[in-house]
Amino acid sequence: RTGVNMLPATTLKIANEFPNKVIAVKEASGDLAQMMEIINNAPEGFDMISGDDAITLPLIAAGGSGLISVIANAFPHEMSSVVNFALEEKYSEARNIHYQLLNLIGLTFANGNPGGVKAMLSKIGLIQNVLRLPLVPVIKETEQKILLASLNETNHEKLERLSYKVFLLGCDLAN
């Protein structure tokens, strides 16, 4: 984990020179054009795995093969449904869930990873929102936005797994 973008030429060189050793890349550059260049020029059997929850759907539509996700820690069923529907070319179904999660995905990274997803998991009641330095929790404003996004009418109905616990926590926060 370096935070440095590996250019397509480098990825493709590695893929071509080590075909039985390097079989995929987790791509999180956020640059769909770069990702498509790799997919288009990669050797047979080399996979592109999304490392960016927000652009997983378009990446799979362009030939990506899966996802290493952050938001799936809090919403495993929903995010795996997006991926599976997209891989089955059921884009309407994938898109519906994708847009339900999109605001929460943005909030996951608003104050850095993993603070956002840890705040979500804390709101669900699965963990305590404790991070060790140099990692820090999200700011209170982001935490409130996460709660409100989870309670929004669409998410409240369609992301049933969270609704009751988040609703109760929301009532506690309002007092």
Side-chain angles (χ1 to χ4, degrees), residues 60 64 80-94:
I60 291 174
S80 65
S81 294
V82 170
V83 171
N84 288 325
F85 281 137
L87 289 170
E88 295 166 4
E89 298 183 9
K90 296 178 180 176
Y91 295 115
S92 178
E93 292 92 333

Side-chain angles (χ1 to χ4, degrees), residues 9 48 65 84 89 91 94 103 129 137 139 143 146 154 157-158:
M48 167 77 61
S65 59
N84 288 325
E89 298 183 9
Y91 295 115
N103 187 37
N129 194 12
I139 61 174
E143 191 174 7
I146 288 169
T154 302
E157 290 175 10
K158 295 187 179 173

Side-chain angles (χ1 to χ4, degrees), residues 49-68:
I49 302 167
S50 177
D52 187 332
D53 293 315
I55 61 172
T56 296
L57 176 57
L59 180 61
I60 291 174
S65 59
L67 168 66
I68 298 171

Side-chain angles (χ1 to χ4, degrees), residues 20-37:
N20 297 320
K21 305 250 187 238
V22 180
I23 59 168
V25 65
K26 173 190 171 193
E27 234 297 357
S29 68
D31 185 343
L32 276 172
Q34 173 175 304
M35 295 174 187
M36 289 186 293
E37 181 180 340

Side-chain angles (χ1 to χ4, degrees), residues 36-153:
M36 289 186 293
E37 181 180 340
I38 295 167
I39 291 168
N40 191 42
N41 295 296
E44 183 75 28
F46 185 81
D47 288 330
M48 167 77 61
I49 302 167
S50 177
D52 187 332
D53 293 315
I55 61 172
T56 296
L57 176 57
L59 180 61
I60 291 174
S65 59
L67 168 66
I68 298 171
S69 177
V70 173
I71 195 78
N73 286 286
F75 298 97
H77 173 73
E78 293 79 9
M79 203 62 211
S80 65
S81 294
V82 170
V83 171
N84 288 325
F85 281 137
L87 289 170
E88 295 166 4
E89 298 183 9
K90 296 178 180 176
Y91 295 115
S92 178
E93 292 92 333
R95 190 171 44 250
N96 288 336
I97 301 167
H98 169 80
Y99 283 120
Q100 290 170 35
L101 292 172
L102 194 57
N103 187 37
L104 286 167
I105 290 169
L107 289 169
T108 300
F109 299 98
N111 301 136
N113 187 27
V117 75
K118 289 214 176 233
M120 287 177 200
L121 291 169
S122 175
K123 296 295 175 213
I124 296 168
L126 293 177
I127 66 167
Q128 292 183 352
N129 194 12
V130 177
L131 288 88
R132 293 184 307 259
L133 290 174
L135 304 174
V136 294
V138 296
I139 61 174
K140 289 292 180 196
E141 180 183 345
T142 303
E143 191 174 7
Q144 256 326 97
K145 287 179 180 177
I146 288 169
L147 179 63
L148 292 174
S150 298
L151 288 175
N152 126 341
E153 196 63 39

Side-chain angles (χ1 to χ4, degrees), residues 148-167:
L148 292 174
S150 298
L151 288 175
N152 126 341
E153 196 63 39
T154 302
N155 287 331
H156 186 72
E157 290 175 10
K158 295 187 179 173
L159 303 177
E160 296 172 6
R161 187 173 62 77
L162 284 181
S163 61
Y164 185 66
K165 287 184 178 181
V166 171
F167 176 75

